Amino acid sequence: MPIHEKSLIRQENLIEHEKLEIDGIDVSGHWSTFIQTRVVTDYNEDMETEVAALPGGEHIHRCWQCGSCTNACTVNAINPDFNPRYWIYLTRIGMEAELLRDKDIIWQCISCNKCTYACPRDVNPEGVMKALSHWLELKGHTEKSPSMHFDEVFSEQVFQTGKIEEGRTIRRFFARTGQELNQDWLVEMIIRMVRHLPVKLLFAMGLQSVLKPRTRGWGKARDAIHEYVAEKDAEHRKALKLDPPHGPA
Amino acid sequence: MPKPILVLGAGPAGLSASHALASVGQQVVLVDKADRLGGTPILSGYAKLVPSGMWAKDAIGGMVDRVKGDGAVRSVTSATVQGFSGAPGSFSAKLSNGEAIDAAAVILCTGFTHFDSVNKPEWGFGTFEDVVTTTQVEQMISSGQGVRCPSDGRKPKRVAILLCVGSRDRQIGREWCSKICCTVSSNLAMEIREELPDCHVYIYYMDIRTYGLNEDLYYWRSQEEFKVKYIKARIAEVTSNGEKLIVKGEDTLVKRPITIPFDMVVHAIGMDPNVDNMLISAIFNIELEKHGHIKRLDTYSSMAATSRPGVFVAGAATGPETIDDSIAQGQGAALAALAVANGNRVQAAE
């Protein structure tokens, strides 16, 4: 529902007792209806700084709430509850509880970057959405999103070997997200590939998946990347006041 | 001997008019009701001015020194005009100190009066010590004392600046925008953040009107470099829980009421017409405009003119005005007054 059409009264804030008697008077049912307060009583002032410490969130404080991002948003066109402008605002002033109500849709950003081009203040809303998803995850508010699993599977492989082999990426991604490898569309795709792709290419692809090739002399680069990633990881956890990552910090 | 021009009020507009006249050899009598020159920026102890960023005591103090050192300007302090008669070229003014001054023309640079926040009792000024005005914060900064809660001298952890106090408010008969408070507030917010980096500053606004070049230099900069937070809400009331000030209002962007604790609440007070404007209007027999400021005839066909020929006006006497524009208007009014003093007709545009 678009934000301006939302009712000020939320269903869960309506309290009604089926059986209630006060001072001998029966006020059961709608006679006892009352609405819980929706007053904001404090801000979580750390929230903006924390999100700004994560990649993509650096310029969140620039936002002046014009709404260009939401208007440009691909996902918003399909789901009016997906409202980057609103989430940036909640983060900036620290209305954490309010933001958490939307935690299950924030990760749905498809990174089309239309908002990035629309934003007059160069907030980089797409980056902020990434940082927000990341923040929700690190704080333990959400499970790792499918796209995060994919990113991890993808980058782990690149870090390890300096190369990418799609078959392996897909297998691992499906395994991590608990999906069956035997999916109709995937089977169909493979059948068609076998049918239509040149034999030479198919052979090369098969060889890749069997031999698991590496970039030659990759070891040094791998170590450097791992070190950098660990350093960044520790930095982010520290900014969010979380325990250091596993292993010695 | 040619008659002098009488300049009333020694603030930015009066100082600039006096200097402009003196620089072309015109004799000036500069009268101010305070015991020293400089006007509101000096008397109210402003800190850094916008948009120059110069300290008021340097910028306006420099203008005072320039006028004081000029033989063509005679300044009379602690005096007001009590009687006024005559025609352009030969006015006669009677001062409160008994002195009579013959003048060719008069420039009114009588300025404004700060809005008295007591007139908005719901926002706690006068009830709670830690509710202060922008002027008081200016003084905390310019005196070198630093921004502290008046109640116990502690450094505030959270400061709320409420905009449009005494402006854009039909309830109290002030329907004008005071023009400068948004810029002044974003500037003060940056100064607070600079002095107290751990202090969070929130600005509660209806609109932000840091017009012109101040958009990025003040509004943007306060957000981008100083992380000042702007919340679109007109505050309903300021109360206290005994320990902290409690600010109530509605955050209109999320449609949620707010009840938030603060250490210090700052009123961005507006510019009222000078409290003496009725008196000035009666003495000089000039009209006031609908809000109570001195009425300036349309600027297309006249130069700094009031409703009485030979009496000119410049600066915040005509309505909320910035210091830089007041100075420019002072120079404009000086030209108009000089034409009268030289016996020339100021021609109206047809």
Side-chain angles (χ1 to χ4, degrees), chain A residues 186-197:
Chain A
L186 190 59
V187 172
E188 180 67 20
M189 192 177 86
I190 293 169
I191 290 172
R192 288 200 198 181
M193 274 166 64
V194 170
R195 226 178 258 162
H196 298 290
L197 282 181

Side-chain angles (χ1 to χ4, degrees), chain A residues 1 24 35 37 39 63 65 157 169 195 202 204-205 211 233 239:
Chain A
M1 192 189 294
I35 307 164
T37 178
V39 173
C63 177
Q65 291 292 303
Q157 201 186 342
T169 311
R195 226 178 258 162
L202 281 173
M205 284 170 70
L211 295 181
D233 197 21

Side-chain angles (χ1 to χ4, degrees), chain A residues 3-4 6 8 38-43 45 48 61-65 86 89 92-93 98 121, chain B residues 158 200 202 204 215 219-220 223-224 227-229 231 251 253-261:
Chain A
I3 196 163
H4 56 278
K6 274 187 187 157
L8 291 180
R38 59 194 176 93
V39 173
V40 179
T41 52
D42 211 350
Y43 302 127
E45 273 157 347
E48 183 184 11
H61 61 281
R62 289 181 177 176
C63 177
W64 60 8
Q65 291 292 303
Y86 181 58
Y89 188 72
R92 290 210 52 210
I93 63 173
E98 196 65 28
R121 288 289 291 275
Chain B
R158 265 160 54 149
H200 293 272
Y202 292 81
Y204 289 93
E215 172 78 9
Y219 179 33
W220 289 29
Q223 287 184 320
E224 298 185 0
K227 314 275 161 74
V228 175
K229 290 167 191 165
I231 297 181
D251 185 330
L253 286 179
V254 285
K255 297 206 291 189
R256 288 276 295 264
I258 43 183
T259 304
I260 306 278

